[in-house]
């Protein structure tokens, strides 16, 4: 029996990691601000922000399929911008942004925990609860991806259930006239409201880092990305609509920082306040869980490049790294040292910069990813505009922007110091390099694969299909082989057969072979769909 840390995760777990990363402290922290800016049009503001996230998810899906790598965002940036200072700086900025976001989630957890359990908060109680939750999930993540995925299933189910319960009852009991277009502000205010709360959608990109831990990542990761963003968009819109129906503009201004909990009182009474508070604790916990999972893996990959001190890449607790511990400690320091506004703005600017770079990477690599250039450039434009608006709105409060300035300057200086005399590797993930090489050398090992297929299916007809068969090696992320037999394996059995064939053919664990099975009656349809194919047997 395999150890917990070696088990694979499927669509549900990957989907849960994305939802868990998004429905964190963001919805509880920024809903009041959105209601203040967009009033009855708050659901439209969340829709707009969700569409921005969905455009970036498109770039992540295209890049993840073409370059399945444990490096995720890091790999995409290096593939597009090469071994440069910009790539190195963006990689370190990504790590720093995760640290800041972990601090934001832990800060929110500490505040809600203090209010629920102690009746109030101060620096000591808030920071104490924040440190406890960071330490707990640091230990949990040391157990591996399978445990993280299963815990996400439970956490996501609870917090989404509470938000949907509030939304359903709130929409029935509230005043629908408050959602009327008559009560909408100018469209620009609605759009600004959407840009400000874009932070609530941060977290979906964590799915890309799980490419080596999921079954069939070429199918699972894009589906999980799109599904998680669309699902969260729907939850946010329903929650915003219910809150807008149950809060007057005066109440929104008075209770902006915890508007969702106050909105629950007319709907569910005092127990509603407690339920939303518990949902806030679970949501922030889930976001910490999913984010630590992503950061731990990224820190390991970046450490292999020599961009960070080697201590980050040394393994402790099985699959975990000392990087996991260092990042957790850095988050704990940020929670204690920075005000909430500075944490939020620094995190938002960091990720908007990263997302703009990923969309630009998808555009630059469109020949390889088969991406729509208009969608990729639209993502660049929207993320850049969002960052500019966020900075402009923060200028009247320099104490809120100083944290972001420190993060950006510190990461740039770190890159300059740590990278002195060094060059980034061509591939972040060495196994991706091996995979790409196997695609280019397909004629060398493919006969061995056919031999092993025939040994298990003597009646089989075997075809090479897909990008490789069409001669599009630069766009190929795998080698598609169609096996036509009377009794084809299905589902998990097919996956197990693929791994057995690959192993017997002498391929490494992270190989590009992808077996497809069909019956003789399905053969013609498959070949017509393939358009070009090569008969191997």
């Amino acid at each position: 029996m395999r150890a917990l840390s070696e088990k694979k995760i499927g669509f549900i777990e990957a989907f849960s990691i994305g939802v868990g990363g998004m429905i964190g402290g963001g919805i509880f922290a920024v809903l009041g601000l959105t209601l203040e800016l967009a009033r009855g049009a708050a659901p439209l503001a969340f829709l707009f922000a969700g569409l921005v996230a969905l455009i970036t998810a498109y770039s992540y899906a295209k890049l993840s399929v073409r370059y399945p790598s444990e490096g995720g965002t890091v790999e995409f940036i290096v593939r597009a911008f090469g071994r440069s200072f910009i790539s190195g700086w963006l990689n370190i900025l990504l790590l720093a942004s995760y640290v800041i976001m972990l601090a934001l989630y832990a800060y929110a957890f500490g505040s809600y925990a203090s209010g629920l359990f102690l009746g109030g908060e101060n620096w000591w109680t808030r920071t104490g609860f924040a440190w406890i939750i960071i330490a707990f999930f640091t230990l949990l993540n040391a157990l591996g991806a399978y445990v993280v995925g299963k815990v996400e299933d439970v956490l996501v189910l609870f917090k989404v259930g509470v938000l949907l319960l509030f939304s359903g009852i709130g929409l029935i009991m509230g005043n629908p006239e408050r959602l009327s277009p008559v009560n909408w502000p100018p469209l620009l205010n609605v759009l600004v409201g959407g840009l400000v709360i874009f932070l609530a959608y941060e977290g979906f990109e964590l799915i890309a880092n799980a490419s080596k831990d999921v079954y069939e990542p070429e199918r699972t990761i894009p589906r999980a990305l799109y599904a998680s963003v669309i699902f969260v968009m729907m939850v946010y819109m329903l929650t915003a609509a219910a809150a807008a129906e149950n809060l007057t503009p005066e109440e929104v201004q008075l209770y902006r920082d915890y508007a969702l909990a106050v909105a629950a009182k007319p709907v569910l009474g005092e127990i509603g306040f407690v339920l939303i508070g518990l949902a806030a604790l679970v949501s922030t916990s889930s976001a910490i869980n999913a984010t630590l999972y992503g950061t731990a893996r990224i820190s390991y990959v970046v450490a292999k490049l020599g961009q960070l001190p080697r201590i980050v890449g040394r393994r402790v607790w099985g699959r975990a790294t000392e990087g996991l511990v260092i990042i957790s400690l850095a988050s704990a320091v940020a929670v204690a040292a920075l005000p909430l506004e500075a944490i939020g703005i620094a995190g938002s600017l960091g990720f908007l910069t990263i997302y703009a770079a990923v969309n630009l990477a998808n555009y630059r690599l469109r020949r390889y990813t088969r991406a729509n250039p208009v969608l990729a450039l639209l993502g660049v434009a929207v993320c850049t505009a969002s960052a500019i608006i966020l900075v402009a709105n923060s200028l009247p409060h320099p104490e809120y922007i100083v944290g972001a300035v420190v993060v950006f300057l510190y990461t740039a200086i770190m890159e300059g110091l740590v990278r002195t005399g060094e060059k980034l590797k061509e591939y972040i993930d060495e196994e991706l390099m091996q995979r790409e090489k196997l695609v280019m050398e397909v004629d060398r090992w493919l006969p061995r694969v056919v031999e092993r297929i025939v040994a298990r299916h003597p009646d089989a007809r075997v075809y090479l299909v897909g990008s490789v068969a069409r001669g599009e090696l630069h766009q190929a992320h795998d080698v598609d082989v169609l096996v036509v037999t009377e009794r084809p394996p299905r589902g998990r059995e097919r996956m197990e057969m693929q791994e057995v064939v690959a192993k017997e053919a002498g391929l490494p664990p992270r190989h590009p072979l992808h077996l497809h099975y069909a019956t003789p009656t399905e053969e013609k349809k498959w070949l017509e769909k393939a358009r070009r194919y090569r008969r191997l047997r």
Side-chain angles (χ1 to χ4, degrees), residues 448-460 504 537:
R448 298 200 304 270
V449 170
V450 175
E451 179 183 334
R452 301 320 306 163
I453 292 173
V454 173
R456 294 181 175 277
H457 305 285
D459 67 324
E504 292 180 349
R537 196 257 184 187

PDB file of all heavy atoms in Angstrom, residues 448-460 504 537:
ATOM      1  N   ARG A 448       8.895   0.083 -28.642  1.00  0.00           N
ATOM      2  CA  ARG A 448       8.846  -0.727 -27.427  1.00  0.00           C
ATOM      3  C   ARG A 448       7.453  -0.658 -26.793  1.00  0.00           C
ATOM      4  O   ARG A 448       6.968  -1.647 -26.239  1.00  0.00           O
ATOM      5  CB  ARG A 448       9.890  -0.236 -26.419  1.00  0.00           C
ATOM      6  CG  ARG A 448      11.324  -0.347 -26.906  1.00  0.00           C
ATOM      7  CD  ARG A 448      12.311  -0.319 -25.741  1.00  0.00           C
ATOM      8  NE  ARG A 448      12.165   0.864 -24.900  1.00  0.00           N
ATOM      9  CZ  ARG A 448      12.822   2.004 -25.100  1.00  0.00           C
ATOM     10  NH1 ARG A 448      13.664   2.117 -26.138  1.00  0.00           N
ATOM     11  NH2 ARG A 448      12.656   3.030 -24.302  1.00  0.00           N
ATOM     12  N   VAL A 449       6.825   0.507 -26.880  1.00  0.00           N
ATOM     13  CA  VAL A 449       5.472   0.657 -26.349  1.00  0.00           C
ATOM     14  C   VAL A 449       4.493  -0.220 -27.126  1.00  0.00           C
ATOM     15  O   VAL A 449       3.662  -0.923 -26.544  1.00  0.00           O
ATOM     16  CB  VAL A 449       5.037   2.138 -26.411  1.00  0.00           C
ATOM     17  CG1 VAL A 449       3.551   2.284 -26.097  1.00  0.00           C
ATOM     18  CG2 VAL A 449       5.858   2.975 -25.444  1.00  0.00           C
ATOM     19  N   VAL A 450       4.612  -0.197 -28.470  1.00  0.00           N
ATOM     20  CA  VAL A 450       3.733  -1.012 -29.305  1.00  0.00           C
ATOM     21  C   VAL A 450       3.919  -2.489 -28.974  1.00  0.00           C
ATOM     22  O   VAL A 450       2.943  -3.262 -28.872  1.00  0.00           O
ATOM     23  CB  VAL A 450       4.003  -0.745 -30.797  1.00  0.00           C
ATOM     24  CG1 VAL A 450       3.169  -1.681 -31.666  1.00  0.00           C
ATOM     25  CG2 VAL A 450       3.702   0.716 -31.149  1.00  0.00           C
ATOM     26  N   GLU A 451       5.150  -2.885 -28.778  1.00  0.00           N
ATOM     27  CA  GLU A 451       5.443  -4.288 -28.440  1.00  0.00           C
ATOM     28  C   GLU A 451       4.756  -4.701 -27.141  1.00  0.00           C
ATOM     29  O   GLU A 451       4.170  -5.781 -27.054  1.00  0.00           O
ATOM     30  CB  GLU A 451       6.961  -4.468 -28.303  1.00  0.00           C
ATOM     31  CG  GLU A 451       7.391  -5.868 -27.926  1.00  0.00           C
ATOM     32  CD  GLU A 451       8.894  -5.963 -27.726  1.00  0.00           C
ATOM     33  OE1 GLU A 451       9.625  -5.147 -28.329  1.00  0.00           O
ATOM     34  OE2 GLU A 451       9.326  -6.845 -26.960  1.00  0.00           O
ATOM     35  N   ARG A 452       4.776  -3.840 -26.123  1.00  0.00           N
ATOM     36  CA  ARG A 452       4.148  -4.166 -24.852  1.00  0.00           C
ATOM     37  C   ARG A 452       2.623  -4.148 -24.956  1.00  0.00           C
ATOM     38  O   ARG A 452       1.931  -4.923 -24.299  1.00  0.00           O
ATOM     39  CB  ARG A 452       4.590  -3.187 -23.760  1.00  0.00           C
ATOM     40  CG  ARG A 452       6.093  -3.128 -23.506  1.00  0.00           C
ATOM     41  CD  ARG A 452       6.755  -4.496 -23.541  1.00  0.00           C
ATOM     42  NE  ARG A 452       6.102  -5.443 -22.624  1.00  0.00           N
ATOM     43  CZ  ARG A 452       6.250  -6.756 -22.668  1.00  0.00           C
ATOM     44  NH1 ARG A 452       7.003  -7.299 -23.620  1.00  0.00           N
ATOM     45  NH2 ARG A 452       5.637  -7.536 -21.792  1.00  0.00           N
ATOM     46  N   ILE A 453       2.079  -3.255 -25.815  1.00  0.00           N
ATOM     47  CA  ILE A 453       0.632  -3.225 -26.027  1.00  0.00           C
ATOM     48  C   ILE A 453       0.153  -4.525 -26.661  1.00  0.00           C
ATOM     49  O   ILE A 453      -0.832  -5.133 -26.224  1.00  0.00           O
ATOM     50  CB  ILE A 453       0.238  -2.015 -26.901  1.00  0.00           C
ATOM     51  CG1 ILE A 453       0.468  -0.710 -26.131  1.00  0.00           C
ATOM     52  CG2 ILE A 453      -1.218  -2.122 -27.344  1.00  0.00           C
ATOM     53  CD1 ILE A 453       0.260   0.543 -26.966  1.00  0.00           C
ATOM     54  N   VAL A 454       0.866  -4.954 -27.683  1.00  0.00           N
ATOM     55  CA  VAL A 454       0.479  -6.176 -28.399  1.00  0.00           C
ATOM     56  C   VAL A 454       0.611  -7.400 -27.490  1.00  0.00           C
ATOM     57  O   VAL A 454      -0.179  -8.343 -27.574  1.00  0.00           O
ATOM     58  CB  VAL A 454       1.335  -6.344 -29.672  1.00  0.00           C
ATOM     59  CG1 VAL A 454       1.068  -7.693 -30.334  1.00  0.00           C
ATOM     60  CG2 VAL A 454       1.054  -5.205 -30.645  1.00  0.00           C
ATOM     61  N   ALA A 455       1.597  -7.385 -26.603  1.00  0.00           N
ATOM     62  CA  ALA A 455       1.757  -8.499 -25.675  1.00  0.00           C
ATOM     63  C   ALA A 455       0.532  -8.649 -24.774  1.00  0.00           C
ATOM     64  O   ALA A 455       0.179  -9.765 -24.367  1.00  0.00           O
ATOM     65  CB  ALA A 455       3.006  -8.297 -24.826  1.00  0.00           C
ATOM     66  N   ARG A 456      -0.151  -7.555 -24.465  1.00  0.00           N
ATOM     67  CA  ARG A 456      -1.323  -7.598 -23.596  1.00  0.00           C
ATOM     68  C   ARG A 456      -2.634  -7.635 -24.386  1.00  0.00           C
ATOM     69  O   ARG A 456      -3.663  -8.079 -23.858  1.00  0.00           O
ATOM     70  CB  ARG A 456      -1.317  -6.390 -22.652  1.00  0.00           C
ATOM     71  CG  ARG A 456      -0.149  -6.448 -21.675  1.00  0.00           C
ATOM     72  CD  ARG A 456      -0.152  -5.279 -20.716  1.00  0.00           C
ATOM     73  NE  ARG A 456       0.914  -5.448 -19.735  1.00  0.00           N
ATOM     74  CZ  ARG A 456       0.824  -6.179 -18.632  1.00  0.00           C
ATOM     75  NH1 ARG A 456      -0.311  -6.808 -18.360  1.00  0.00           N
ATOM     76  NH2 ARG A 456       1.838  -6.280 -17.791  1.00  0.00           N
ATOM     77  N   HIS A 457      -2.600  -7.159 -25.628  1.00  0.00           N
ATOM     78  CA  HIS A 457      -3.786  -7.170 -26.487  1.00  0.00           C
ATOM     79  C   HIS A 457      -3.375  -7.702 -27.860  1.00  0.00           C
ATOM     80  O   HIS A 457      -3.119  -6.925 -28.790  1.00  0.00           O
ATOM     81  CB  HIS A 457      -4.375  -5.764 -26.625  1.00  0.00           C
ATOM     82  CG  HIS A 457      -4.698  -5.088 -25.323  1.00  0.00           C
ATOM     83  ND1 HIS A 457      -5.790  -5.425 -24.563  1.00  0.00           N
ATOM     84  CD2 HIS A 457      -4.051  -4.096 -24.652  1.00  0.00           C
ATOM     85  CE1 HIS A 457      -5.811  -4.658 -23.475  1.00  0.00           C
ATOM     86  NE2 HIS A 457      -4.763  -3.850 -23.516  1.00  0.00           N
ATOM     87  N   PRO A 458      -3.306  -9.009 -28.032  1.00  0.00           N
ATOM     88  CA  PRO A 458      -2.833  -9.586 -29.308  1.00  0.00           C
ATOM     89  C   PRO A 458      -3.651  -9.151 -30.517  1.00  0.00           C
ATOM     90  O   PRO A 458      -3.133  -9.143 -31.641  1.00  0.00           O
ATOM     91  CB  PRO A 458      -2.964 -11.093 -29.059  1.00  0.00           C
ATOM     92  CG  PRO A 458      -2.902 -11.248 -27.567  1.00  0.00           C
ATOM     93  CD  PRO A 458      -3.582 -10.042 -27.027  1.00  0.00           C
ATOM     94  N   ASP A 459      -4.932  -8.794 -30.315  1.00  0.00           N
ATOM     95  CA  ASP A 459      -5.789  -8.409 -31.440  1.00  0.00           C
ATOM     96  C   ASP A 459      -5.707  -6.924 -31.761  1.00  0.00           C
ATOM     97  O   ASP A 459      -6.407  -6.435 -32.651  1.00  0.00           O
ATOM     98  CB  ASP A 459      -7.245  -8.764 -31.118  1.00  0.00           C
ATOM     99  CG  ASP A 459      -7.812  -7.924 -29.976  1.00  0.00           C
ATOM    100  OD1 ASP A 459      -7.054  -7.624 -29.037  1.00  0.00           O
ATOM    101  OD2 ASP A 459      -9.013  -7.570 -30.031  1.00  0.00           O
ATOM    102  N   ALA A 460      -4.865  -6.190 -31.070  1.00  0.00           N
ATOM    103  CA  ALA A 460      -4.887  -4.723 -31.140  1.00  0.00           C
ATOM    104  C   ALA A 460      -4.385  -4.183 -32.471  1.00  0.00           C
ATOM    105  O   ALA A 460      -3.441  -4.712 -33.067  1.00  0.00           O
ATOM    106  CB  ALA A 460      -4.057  -4.142 -30.007  1.00  0.00           C
ATOM    107  N   GLU A 504       7.097  -1.043 -18.502  1.00  0.00           N
ATOM    108  CA  GLU A 504       7.690  -2.180 -19.212  1.00  0.00           C
ATOM    109  C   GLU A 504       8.469  -1.724 -20.442  1.00  0.00           C
ATOM    110  O   GLU A 504       9.408  -2.402 -20.872  1.00  0.00           O
ATOM    111  CB  GLU A 504       6.595  -3.168 -19.617  1.00  0.00           C
ATOM    112  CG  GLU A 504       5.958  -3.884 -18.421  1.00  0.00           C
ATOM    113  CD  GLU A 504       4.873  -4.850 -18.856  1.00  0.00           C
ATOM    114  OE1 GLU A 504       4.474  -4.807 -20.052  1.00  0.00           O
ATOM    115  OE2 GLU A 504       4.417  -5.643 -18.022  1.00  0.00           O
ATOM    116  N   ARG A 537       0.653  -0.619 -36.035  1.00  0.00           N
ATOM    117  CA  ARG A 537       0.534  -2.084 -36.044  1.00  0.00           C
ATOM    118  C   ARG A 537      -0.856  -2.483 -36.505  1.00  0.00           C
ATOM    119  O   ARG A 537      -1.846  -1.981 -36.015  1.00  0.00           O
ATOM    120  CB  ARG A 537       0.766  -2.617 -34.629  1.00  0.00           C
ATOM    121  CG  ARG A 537       1.049  -4.107 -34.564  1.00  0.00           C
ATOM    122  CD  ARG A 537      -0.164  -4.868 -34.091  1.00  0.00           C
ATOM    123  NE  ARG A 537       0.095  -6.282 -33.919  1.00  0.00           N
ATOM    124  CZ  ARG A 537      -0.837  -7.179 -33.650  1.00  0.00           C
ATOM    125  NH1 ARG A 537      -2.104  -6.826 -33.506  1.00  0.00           N
ATOM    126  NH2 ARG A 537      -0.533  -8.445 -33.502  1.00  0.00           N
TER     127      ARG A 537
END
